[in-house]
Amino acid sequence: MPHDIRLAGPWEYSVDDGSTWDRCTLPFDASSHCGTPGETTVRLRRRFHRPSGLDQSSAVSIIVLADAKVAQIGLNDHGIVATTVECDAEQTNSVTSHFHVSKLLDEFNTLQVTLGANAQSLASAINATGLRIEDN
């Protein structure tokens, strides 16, 4: 049975090249944080410690619930492509993206998700994020 850990906060966001970060909470809507026209990319990040009790048989995934598919995330400066995407048939703006990260976890980790405020190719809002641990 999987064990889920919410990554509720603290989160930070950046609307520039990633040199300036401000605090935020989830759910987060990128369009509400872009103050000037033309800003289409918003970066979200959250730092977290490696969960305790993991062993070599533990499979760890990052789960992102957003308004559209999140195709890629960054973990510790590594780009990770979604392995599974699930769309909610009843809620068209609820898409769950899964990312396997077992081999990329460090003792202290930085997760980064890129959103698009006006870009149709990117999710524009994140509702929740978490870790899922499954022991095989």
Side-chain angles (χ1 to χ4, degrees):
M1 178 138 109
H3 174 67
D4 291 335
I5 300 170
R6 288 182 340 134
L7 295 176
W11 282 88
E12 297 174 303
Y13 75 96
S14 176
V15 294
D16 58 21
D17 61 358
S19 58
T20 306
W21 295 89
D22 293 307
R23 287 268 176 127
C24 65
T25 58
L26 298 184
F28 180 90
D29 184 354
S31 61
S32 66
H33 293 281
C34 285
T36 60
E39 289 179 337
T40 58
T41 301
V42 178
R43 292 169 187 80
L44 280 176
R45 77 176 176 191
R46 173 144 180 345
R47 295 181 170 110
F48 63 95
H49 287 92
R50 179 188 167 115
S52 60
L54 297 179
D55 59 34
Q56 290 183 343
S57 69
S58 299
V60 182
S61 297
I62 292 177
I63 311 296
V64 179
L65 178 62
D67 65 340
K69 175 183 176 181
V70 175
Q72 183 172 334
I73 61 169
L75 181 66
N76 304 326
D77 296 323
H78 296 281
I80 306 164
V81 177
T83 53
T84 308
V85 177
E86 301 166 354
C87 299
D88 189 326
E90 294 179 14
Q91 294 182 313
T92 57
N93 62 344
S94 182
V95 180
T96 305
S97 302
H98 300 251
F99 303 87
H100 292 296
V101 297
S102 301
K103 293 182 169 94
L104 297 174
L105 287 174
D106 292 332
E107 288 304 313
F108 192 71
N109 302 278
T110 301
L111 168 63
Q112 187 167 307
V113 181
T114 301
L115 301 176
N118 301 314
Q120 292 182 348
S121 61
L122 295 172
S124 63
I126 291 185
N127 300 316
T129 306
L131 295 174
R132 176 164 293 159
I133 303 168
E134 297 183 71
D135 291 316
N136 298 323

